[in-house]
Amino acid sequence: MTSLLFPGSFDPLTRGHKDIARRASKICDKLYVVVMNNNKKTYLFDLDERVQMVKEVLGEYENIEVLGSDGLLVDIFKDLGCNAVVRGIRSESDFRYEAEMALANKMLCPSYDVTLLPCRDDLSLISSSLVKEVGSYGGDISGMLPAQIVDKVNERLRKGRT
Ligand code: COA
């Protein structure tokens, strides 16, 4: 059985992330989507809230399991016994970032490997930061997010404006 691990902050999960999860789920028997923390970022939603939102969006896929972890990626990778990690790339700069992360993770765990999926052209400009920036000014973010979480994200961003 092949299993892949798709980690990310998902603050919030965008349509770009959803597309990567959907495609990754087709090339393995089991896909673990793991919501994690990147200590360089500050978050709009805490870890549990992000896990709940990702579950809501990806619940329709039978071979996807959503988990949360505030530890190291290599630790959960080893614990779950995955074949590789999967990440989406939108640009050359994403590629450079992913290559550096992969090297660092491989130093920590020699069996670590990563599969990079190029994202869809029409989703390549979406990022969680863009969603938050546009939404914080009251702009329309519905085209960037899975429908299930648009209201939740708008509501949280509205609180920040008051
Ligand atoms: N594919 C990938 N990223 C996409 C995307 C797509 N199709 N579409 C949009 N993006 C954006 C995201 O929205 C996000 O944008 P933002 O920076 O504006 O928020 C950015 O690309 C990447 O975010 P995300 O995929 O959520 O991951 P991340 O870079 O925040 O998280 C972790 C990286 C969590 C995997 C990493 O920090 C980690 O491994 N943490 C655990 C601790 C650890 O082991 N650290 C050592 C690492 S060497």
Side-chain angles (χ1 to χ4, degrees):
M1 182 169 122
T2 55
S3 61
L4 294 176
L5 190 170
F6 179 26
S9 296
F10 306 126
D11 184 54
L13 180 107
T14 65
R15 286 184 56 213
H17 292 128
K18 184 182 176 186
D19 185 60
I20 296 293
R22 180 188 63 79
R23 287 161 52 205
S25 73
K26 288 187 176 167
I27 55 170
C28 62
D29 298 304
K30 173 108 185 178
L31 177 70
Y32 293 99
V33 177
V34 183
V35 183
M36 304 198 74
N37 287 328
N38 177 341
N39 61 13
K40 292 187 201 80
K41 292 186 174 176
T42 52
Y43 292 114
L44 183 64
F45 294 95
D46 69 27
L47 189 68
D48 288 343
E49 290 174 317
R50 284 180 273 140
V51 169
Q52 280 319 310
M53 284 193 290
V54 176
K55 278 187 175 165
E56 216 171 305
V57 173
L58 300 180
E60 67 189 89
Y61 301 103
E62 272 180 14
N63 66 336
I64 296 184
E65 184 173 340
V66 180
L67 304 167
S69 164
D70 62 0
L72 276 176
L73 175 56
V74 288
D75 287 339
I76 187 127
F77 175 76
K78 282 186 278 191
D79 289 349
L80 294 171
C82 291
N83 297 85
V85 157
V86 61
R87 294 276 290 170
I89 47 168
R90 295 162 297 169
S91 60
E92 217 178 298
S93 61
D94 274 359
F95 178 79
R96 233 173 288 132
Y97 172 68
E98 292 305 331
E100 277 171 26
M101 256 204 350
L103 275 180
N105 282 317
K106 206 161 174 61
M107 265 184 338
L108 296 169
C109 170
S111 65
Y112 182 91
D113 218 335
V114 64
T115 300
L116 299 176
L117 291 182
C119 88
R120 260 171 47 185
D121 258 8
D122 58 321
L123 302 176
S124 67
L125 293 176
I126 301 176
S127 72
S128 304
S129 308
L130 185 67
V131 168
K132 288 180 276 195
E133 183 172 357
V134 172
S136 68
Y137 290 102
D140 182 7
I141 53 174
S142 59
M144 298 189 254
L145 293 176
Q148 298 94 320
I149 61 171
V150 172
D151 288 348
K152 210 164 282 168
V153 176
N154 266 324
E155 193 188 320
R156 181 63 53 93
L157 289 169
R158 206 175 305 123
K159 273 190 194 154
R161 290 203 297 276
T162 54

